[in-house]
Amino acid sequence: MWHIKNDINKHYLQTFEREIILPYLQMISDVVTEIETGRINKPLQRIDIWKDTEIFTTATDDKKNLFVYIMEKTVSGKKLQDLFISMAERFDSIAVENIIKLYKEQNRHVYSGNYNFPLVQIDELFKDLFVVYFYNTFFADEYIWSTMVGERYNRKAFHRNFKSENKMVVCPYCDIDTAVTVSNNNIEHFLPKSKFPLIAMNPFNLLSSCIACNKADEGKGDRIPDYPILSPYNEMIGDFASFDVDFLSKKITLSNVGKTRHDNYFKFLKLYSRYSDPIVYECVDHAAQSLFETLSNYKAPSKSVIDLYIRRNQKMNNLSFALKSVISNYPEYNALK
C-alpha cells in the first residue's frame, strides 16, 4: 500500500547482473554456438568448457577467480558448471537467445513499472539457475559480494537498506504488521520467482515484507495476480483504500476507491478479508483511543492536530491508513473544532 523505492539495493543487484548473470548467459550462448558450428563436439568432454569462452579468457584475474568460484559452487550435490554442461547439451542457440531476449524483456518491463506481462514457461534448468543458484545461494554468499563490490552484502543488508531508504518499519504491502526485526521480514517477490524466475534478482520485484503477506493462506503466496496490477513501486496504493468502521459489529471494512488495478492489488494480498478480522478493529480502536487520550493533555486539541499527528507518524505506526480513514467517525473527534 505504501509507495516505496529501492535504489540502494538496486546498485548491488545491478552489479550482480553485470558481473554474473549476463556473462553466464553469454558464455552458454557462445558454447552452444560453437557446438552448432562444429568447433565443439557432443558429448562434451570437459566440465570446464566455459573456460574457453571469450568472456572468461579476456577477464581480469579477479573476475576469473570469481567465475571459478561460482562455477564450482555446489548446491544439493550439483555444481553450477554441471548445470552449465546440461544446458549446453540440451539447448540450441535459438533457445538460448530466446531466453536471453525474454530475460531482458521481462526485466525491462519491471524497471519501467510494468508488471502486466504474460506468464511464459521456463525450462527447469533455467529456473534452477536463477532461483536455486543466483537467488537462493549467491545472494547470501559473502565471497561473491566482497569480490564484486568490496563489502559484505546479504539479505540482512537488503532489509537494512530498504528500511533506511524508505524510512519506515511497517509492511509496505499491507500496512497491517510492522517489520522492525529481521525475523519478521521476508525478501518478497511481487511476481513469484517460481513463475517468473528470470526476474528473481530484479530490485523492483523485491521488497521487505511481513511474513503474513508472503504466505499463501494469509497473503499472496506464489499466486499470479489478476491483471491489470500495480505494485508499491508504482504509487501510494493506500490512497485508494477507503475504510469504514462499524462500532456495533466491531469491524473495519476496506473498500476500493481506485481503479481495477487497485482492486486487483487488494485481492492479490487478500487485504479485503485481512482488514475485516476483528483484531484489526481492536488495534485501530486502541490506536484511536490512545491518540485521544494523549491529545487531551493539549490545552486546545483540534482536528487539525490529530490529522497532523497521524500523517507525521504513519510510516512508524501500523494500520495508519485505516486510522486516518476512520478517525472522523469517532464522537471524540467530531467534538473537536
Coordinates of all heavy atoms in Angstrom, one line a residue, residues 157-213:
A157 N 21.4 -7.0 4.9 CA 21.8 -5.7 4.3 C 20.7 -5.2 3.4 O 20.4 -4.0 3.4 CB 23.1 -5.9 3.5
F158 N 20.0 -6.1 2.7 CA 18.9 -5.7 1.8 C 17.8 -5.1 2.7 O 17.3 -4.0 2.4 CB 18.3 -6.9 1.1 CG 17.2 -6.6 0.2 CD1 17.4 -6.4 -1.2 CD2 15.9 -6.5 0.7 CE1 16.3 -6.1 -2.0 CE2 14.8 -6.2 -0.1 CZ 15.0 -6.0 -1.5
H159 N 17.4 -5.7 3.8 CA 16.4 -5.2 4.7 C 16.8 -3.9 5.3 O 16.0 -2.9 5.3 CB 16.1 -6.2 5.8 CG 15.4 -7.4 5.4 ND1 14.2 -7.4 4.6 CD2 15.7 -8.7 5.6 CE1 13.8 -8.7 4.4 NE2 14.7 -9.5 5.0
R160 N 18.0 -3.8 5.7 CA 18.5 -2.6 6.3 C 18.5 -1.4 5.3 O 18.1 -0.3 5.6 CB 20.0 -2.8 6.8 CG 20.6 -1.6 7.6 CD 21.9 -1.9 8.1 NE 22.9 -2.3 7.1 CZ 23.4 -3.5 7.0 NH1 23.0 -4.5 7.8 NH2 24.3 -3.7 6.0
N161 N 19.0 -1.7 4.1 CA 18.9 -0.6 3.1 C 17.5 -0.2 2.7 O 17.2 1.0 2.5 CB 19.6 -1.1 1.8 CG 21.1 -1.4 2.0 OD1 21.7 -0.8 2.9 ND2 21.7 -2.2 1.2
F162 N 16.6 -1.2 2.6 CA 15.2 -0.9 2.2 C 14.6 0.0 3.3 O 13.9 1.0 3.0 CB 14.5 -2.2 2.1 CG 13.1 -2.1 1.6 CD1 12.8 -2.0 0.3 CD2 12.0 -2.0 2.5 CE1 11.5 -1.8 -0.2 CE2 10.7 -1.8 2.1 CZ 10.4 -1.8 0.8
K163 N 14.7 -0.4 4.6 CA 14.1 0.4 5.6 C 14.7 1.8 5.8 O 14.0 2.7 6.0 CB 14.2 -0.4 7.0 CG 13.5 -1.7 7.0 CD 13.7 -2.4 8.4 CE 13.1 -3.8 8.4 NZ 13.4 -4.5 9.6
S164 N 16.0 1.8 5.6 CA 16.6 3.1 5.7 C 16.2 4.1 4.6 O 15.9 5.3 4.8 CB 18.2 2.9 5.7 OG 18.8 4.2 5.6
E165 N 16.1 3.6 3.4 CA 15.8 4.4 2.2 C 14.3 4.9 2.3 O 14.0 6.0 2.0 CB 16.0 3.6 0.9 CG 15.8 4.5 -0.3 CD 16.3 3.8 -1.6 OE1 16.8 2.6 -1.5 OE2 16.1 4.4 -2.6
N166 N 13.4 4.0 2.8 CA 12.0 4.3 2.8 C 11.6 4.9 4.2 O 10.4 5.3 4.3 CB 11.2 3.1 2.5 CG 11.3 2.6 1.1 OD1 10.8 3.3 0.2 ND2 12.0 1.5 0.8
K167 N 12.5 4.9 5.1 CA 12.2 5.4 6.5 C 10.9 4.9 7.0 O 10.0 5.7 7.4 CB 12.3 7.0 6.4 CG 13.6 7.5 6.1 CD 13.6 9.0 6.0 CE 15.1 9.6 5.8 NZ 15.7 9.1 4.6
M168 N 10.8 3.6 7.1 CA 9.5 3.0 7.5 C 9.8 1.7 8.2 O 10.8 1.0 7.8 CB 8.5 2.9 6.4 CG 9.0 1.9 5.3 SD 7.9 2.0 3.8 CE 6.3 1.5 4.5
V169 N 8.9 1.3 9.1 CA 9.0 0.0 9.7 C 7.7 -0.8 9.6 O 7.6 -1.9 10.1 CB 9.4 0.1 11.2 CG1 10.7 0.8 11.4 CG2 8.3 0.9 12.0
V170 N 6.8 -0.3 8.9 CA 5.6 -1.0 8.6 C 5.7 -1.8 7.3 O 6.6 -1.5 6.5 CB 4.3 -0.1 8.5 CG1 4.1 0.6 9.8 CG2 4.5 0.9 7.4
C171 N 4.9 -2.9 7.1 CA 5.0 -3.6 5.9 C 4.4 -2.8 4.8 O 3.3 -2.4 4.8 CB 4.2 -4.9 6.1 SG 4.1 -5.9 4.5
P172 N 5.1 -2.6 3.7 CA 4.7 -1.8 2.6 C 3.5 -2.4 1.8 O 2.8 -1.7 1.1 CB 5.9 -1.6 1.7 CG 6.7 -2.8 2.0 CD 6.5 -3.1 3.4
Y173 N 3.4 -3.7 1.9 CA 2.3 -4.4 1.2 C 0.9 -4.1 1.8 O 0.0 -3.8 1.2 CB 2.5 -5.9 1.3 CG 3.3 -6.5 0.1 CD1 4.0 -7.7 0.3 CD2 3.2 -6.0 -1.2 CE1 4.7 -8.3 -0.8 CE2 3.9 -6.5 -2.2 CZ 4.6 -7.7 -2.0 OH 5.3 -8.3 -3.1
C174 N 0.9 -4.3 3.2 CA -0.4 -4.4 3.8 C -0.7 -3.2 4.8 O -1.8 -2.9 5.1 CB -0.6 -5.7 4.5 SG 0.5 -6.0 5.9
D175 N 0.4 -2.7 5.4 CA 0.2 -1.7 6.5 C -0.4 -2.3 7.7 O -0.8 -1.5 8.6 CB -0.5 -0.4 6.0 CG -0.3 0.8 7.0 OD1 0.8 1.0 7.3 OD2 -1.3 1.4 7.3
I176 N -0.6 -3.6 7.8 CA -1.2 -4.2 9.0 C -0.1 -4.5 10.0 O -0.3 -4.3 11.2 CB -1.9 -5.5 8.6 CG1 -3.1 -5.1 7.7 CG2 -2.4 -6.3 9.8 CD1 -3.9 -6.3 7.1
D177 N 1.0 -5.1 9.6 CA 2.0 -5.5 10.5 C 3.2 -4.6 10.4 O 3.5 -4.0 9.4 CB 2.5 -7.0 10.2 CG 1.4 -8.0 10.6 OD1 0.7 -7.7 11.6 OD2 1.4 -9.1 10.0
T178 N 4.0 -4.6 11.5 CA 5.3 -3.9 11.5 C 6.3 -4.9 11.1 O 6.1 -6.1 11.1 CB 5.6 -3.3 12.9 OG1 5.6 -4.4 13.8 CG2 4.7 -2.3 13.3
A179 N 7.5 -4.4 10.6 CA 8.6 -5.3 10.2 C 9.9 -4.7 10.8 O 10.8 -4.4 10.0 CB 8.6 -5.4 8.7
V180 N 9.9 -4.6 12.1 CA 11.0 -4.0 12.7 C 12.2 -4.9 12.8 O 13.3 -4.6 12.4 CB 10.6 -3.5 14.2 CG1 11.9 -2.9 14.9 CG2 9.5 -2.5 14.1
T181 N 11.9 -6.2 13.3 CA 13.0 -7.1 13.4 C 13.2 -7.9 12.1 O 12.3 -8.1 11.3 CB 12.7 -8.1 14.6 OG1 11.5 -8.8 14.3 CG2 12.5 -7.4 15.9
V182 N 14.4 -8.4 11.9 CA 14.7 -9.2 10.7 C 13.9 -10.5 10.7 O 13.5 -10.9 9.6 CB 16.2 -9.5 10.7 CG1 16.5 -10.5 9.5 CG2 17.0 -8.2 10.5
S183 N 13.6 -11.0 11.9 CA 12.9 -12.3 11.9 C 11.4 -12.2 11.4 O 10.8 -13.2 11.1 CB 12.9 -12.9 13.3 OG 12.3 -12.0 14.2
N184 N 10.9 -10.9 11.4 CA 9.6 -10.7 10.8 C 9.6 -10.1 9.5 O 8.7 -9.4 9.0 CB 8.7 -9.8 11.8 CG 7.3 -9.8 11.4 OD1 6.7 -10.8 11.0 ND2 6.6 -8.7 11.5
N185 N 10.7 -10.3 8.8 CA 10.9 -9.8 7.4 C 11.2 -10.9 6.4 O 11.9 -11.9 6.7 CB 12.2 -8.9 7.4 CG 11.9 -7.4 7.8 OD1 12.6 -6.5 7.5 ND2 10.8 -7.2 8.5
N186 N 10.6 -10.8 5.3 CA 10.9 -11.6 4.1 C 11.4 -10.7 3.0 O 10.9 -9.6 2.9 CB 9.7 -12.4 3.6 CG 9.4 -13.6 4.5 OD1 9.9 -13.7 5.6 ND2 8.7 -14.5 3.9
I187 N 12.3 -11.2 2.2 CA 12.6 -10.5 0.9 C 11.5 -11.2 0.0 O 11.6 -12.3 -0.3 CB 14.0 -10.8 0.4 CG1 15.0 -10.1 1.4 CG2 14.1 -10.2 -1.0 CD1 16.4 -10.2 0.9
E188 N 10.6 -10.4 -0.4 CA 9.4 -10.9 -1.1 C 9.5 -10.5 -2.6 O 9.8 -9.4 -2.9 CB 8.2 -10.3 -0.4 CG 7.0 -11.2 -0.3 CD 6.4 -11.5 -1.7 OE1 6.1 -10.5 -2.4 OE2 6.1 -12.7 -2.0
H189 N 9.1 -11.5 -3.4 CA 9.0 -11.3 -4.8 C 7.6 -10.9 -5.2 O 6.6 -11.7 -4.9 CB 9.4 -12.6 -5.6 CG 10.8 -12.9 -5.5 ND1 11.3 -13.6 -4.4 CD2 11.8 -12.7 -6.4 CE1 12.6 -13.8 -4.6 NE2 13.0 -13.3 -5.8
F190 N 7.4 -9.7 -5.7 CA 6.0 -9.3 -6.1 C 5.4 -10.3 -7.1 O 4.3 -10.9 -6.9 CB 6.0 -7.9 -6.6 CG 4.6 -7.4 -6.9 CD1 3.8 -7.1 -5.9 CD2 4.2 -7.2 -8.2 CE1 2.5 -6.6 -6.2 CE2 2.9 -6.8 -8.5 CZ 2.1 -6.5 -7.5
L191 N 6.1 -10.5 -8.2 CA 5.7 -11.6 -9.1 C 6.5 -12.8 -8.7 O 7.8 -12.7 -8.7 CB 6.0 -11.2 -10.6 CG 5.1 -10.1 -11.1 CD1 5.5 -9.8 -12.6 CD2 3.6 -10.3 -11.0
P192 N 5.9 -13.9 -8.4 CA 6.6 -15.0 -7.7 C 7.8 -15.6 -8.5 O 7.6 -15.8 -9.8 CB 5.5 -16.0 -7.5 CG 4.5 -15.7 -8.5 CD 4.5 -14.2 -8.7
K193 N 8.9 -15.9 -7.9 CA 10.0 -16.4 -8.6 C 9.8 -17.8 -9.1 O 10.4 -18.2 -10.1 CB 11.2 -16.4 -7.6 CG 11.1 -17.3 -6.4 CD 12.4 -17.2 -5.5 CE 12.3 -18.1 -4.3 NZ 11.2 -17.7 -3.4
S194 N 8.8 -18.5 -8.5 CA 8.5 -19.9 -9.0 C 7.9 -19.8 -10.4 O 8.0 -20.7 -11.2 CB 7.6 -20.6 -8.1 OG 6.3 -19.9 -7.9
K195 N 7.2 -18.7 -10.7 CA 6.5 -18.5 -12.0 C 7.3 -17.6 -13.0 O 7.3 -17.7 -14.2 CB 5.1 -17.9 -11.8 CG 4.3 -18.6 -10.8 CD 3.9 -20.0 -11.3 CE 2.7 -20.6 -10.5 NZ 2.8 -20.6 -9.0
F196 N 8.1 -16.6 -12.4 CA 8.8 -15.7 -13.1 C 10.3 -15.7 -12.7 O 10.8 -14.7 -12.1 CB 8.2 -14.3 -13.0 CG 6.9 -14.1 -13.5 CD1 5.8 -14.3 -12.7 CD2 6.6 -13.8 -14.8 CE1 4.5 -14.2 -13.2 CE2 5.4 -13.6 -15.3 CZ 4.3 -13.8 -14.5
P197 N 11.0 -16.8 -12.9 CA 12.4 -16.9 -12.3 C 13.4 -15.9 -12.9 O 14.3 -15.5 -12.3 CB 12.8 -18.3 -12.7 CG 11.9 -18.7 -13.8 CD 10.6 -18.0 -13.6
L198 N 13.1 -15.4 -14.1 CA 14.1 -14.5 -14.8 C 14.1 -13.2 -14.1 O 15.1 -12.4 -14.4 CB 13.7 -14.4 -16.3 CG 13.7 -15.7 -17.1 CD1 13.5 -15.4 -18.6 CD2 15.0 -16.5 -16.9
I199 N 13.1 -12.8 -13.3 CA 13.2 -11.5 -12.6 C 13.4 -11.7 -11.1 O 13.1 -10.9 -10.3 CB 11.9 -10.7 -12.9 CG1 10.6 -11.4 -12.5 CG2 11.9 -10.2 -14.3 CD1 9.4 -10.6 -12.6
A200 N 13.9 -12.9 -10.8 CA 14.1 -13.2 -9.3 C 15.1 -12.3 -8.7 O 15.1 -12.1 -7.4 CB 14.6 -14.7 -9.2
M201 N 16.0 -11.6 -9.4 CA 17.0 -10.8 -8.9 C 16.8 -9.3 -9.2 O 17.7 -8.5 -9.1 CB 18.4 -11.2 -9.3 CG 18.9 -12.6 -8.8 SD 19.2 -12.6 -7.0 CE 20.8 -11.7 -7.0
N202 N 15.6 -9.0 -9.7 CA 15.3 -7.6 -10.1 C 14.9 -6.8 -8.8 O 14.0 -7.2 -8.1 CB 14.2 -7.5 -11.1 CG 14.0 -6.2 -11.7 OD1 13.7 -5.2 -11.0 ND2 14.1 -6.0 -13.0
P203 N 15.6 -5.7 -8.6 CA 15.3 -4.9 -7.3 C 13.9 -4.4 -7.2 O 13.4 -4.2 -6.1 CB 16.4 -3.8 -7.4 CG 16.7 -3.6 -8.8 CD 16.7 -5.0 -9.4
F204 N 13.2 -4.2 -8.3 CA 11.9 -3.7 -8.3 C 10.8 -4.8 -8.4 O 9.6 -4.6 -8.5 CB 11.7 -2.7 -9.4 CG 12.5 -1.5 -9.2 CD1 13.3 -1.0 -10.2 CD2 12.6 -0.8 -7.9 CE1 14.1 0.1 -10.0 CE2 13.5 0.3 -7.7 CZ 14.2 0.7 -8.8
N205 N 11.3 -6.1 -8.2 CA 10.4 -7.2 -8.0 C 10.6 -7.7 -6.6 O 10.1 -8.7 -6.2 CB 10.6 -8.3 -9.0 CG 9.5 -9.3 -9.0 OD1 8.4 -9.0 -8.9 ND2 9.9 -10.6 -9.0
L206 N 11.5 -7.0 -5.8 CA 11.9 -7.5 -4.5 C 11.5 -6.3 -3.5 O 11.8 -5.2 -3.8 CB 13.3 -7.8 -4.4 CG 13.9 -9.0 -5.2 CD1 15.4 -9.0 -5.2 CD2 13.3 -10.3 -4.7
L207 N 11.1 -6.7 -2.3 CA 10.9 -5.7 -1.2 C 10.8 -6.5 0.1 O 10.7 -7.7 0.2 CB 9.6 -4.9 -1.4 CG 8.3 -5.7 -1.6 CD1 7.6 -6.1 -0.3 CD2 7.3 -4.8 -2.4
S208 N 11.0 -5.7 1.2 CA 10.9 -6.2 2.5 C 9.4 -6.2 2.9 O 8.8 -5.2 3.0 CB 11.7 -5.4 3.5 OG 13.1 -5.5 3.3
S209 N 8.9 -7.4 3.2 CA 7.5 -7.5 3.7 C 7.4 -8.3 5.0 O 8.3 -8.9 5.4 CB 6.7 -8.2 2.6 OG 6.8 -9.6 2.7
C210 N 6.2 -8.2 5.6 CA 6.0 -9.0 6.8 C 5.8 -10.4 6.3 O 5.5 -10.7 5.1 CB 4.7 -8.5 7.5 SG 3.2 -8.7 6.6
I211 N 5.9 -11.4 7.2 CA 5.8 -12.8 6.9 C 4.4 -13.1 6.3 O 4.2 -13.9 5.4 CB 6.1 -13.7 8.1 CG1 7.6 -13.5 8.4 CG2 5.8 -15.1 7.9 CD1 8.0 -14.2 9.7
A212 N 3.3 -12.5 6.9 CA 2.0 -12.9 6.5 C 1.7 -12.6 5.1 O 1.1 -13.4 4.4 CB 1.0 -12.1 7.4
C213 N 2.2 -11.5 4.5 CA 2.0 -11.1 3.1 C 2.6 -12.1 2.2 O 2.2 -12.3 1.0 CB 2.5 -9.7 2.9 SG 1.4 -8.4 3.4

